[in-house]
Amino acid sequence: MARPPAEWERSLRARHQVASLLHALPPGYVVFHDIELPKPSRAVVDHLVIGPRGVWSITTEVCAD
């Protein structure tokens, strides 16, 4: 089921805010965004961070008002 446009825009803004924070990580970290998983999955990894101490998958969620 498709999300309403207002909800989609809030989600997009939230993902951009998280991306901005992640890009401020110190040298040695690599950040990837919006990684589509192989078909038939429709899932997307919002943010993937690879650093000196490990790998993190970060999901951005928008809470209802």
Side-chain angles (χ1 to χ4, degrees), residues 2-60:
R3 290 191 281 179
E7 184 180 328
W8 185 86
E9 288 175 18
R10 282 181 42 184
S11 176
L12 182 62
R13 274 195 311 270
R15 287 195 316 274
H16 281 254
Q17 288 173 333
V18 171
S20 293
L21 292 171
L22 293 173
H23 280 291
L25 288 169
Y29 289 87
V30 179
V31 181
F32 298 94
H33 307 281
D34 299 323
I35 301 169
E36 294 183 15
L37 298 183
K39 303 290 183 216
S41 174
R42 294 180 10 203
V44 174
V45 175
D46 291 338
H47 314 279
L48 184 70
V49 179
I50 302 171
R53 295 194 159 205
V55 177
W56 297 268
S57 171
I58 302 171
T59 301
T60 304

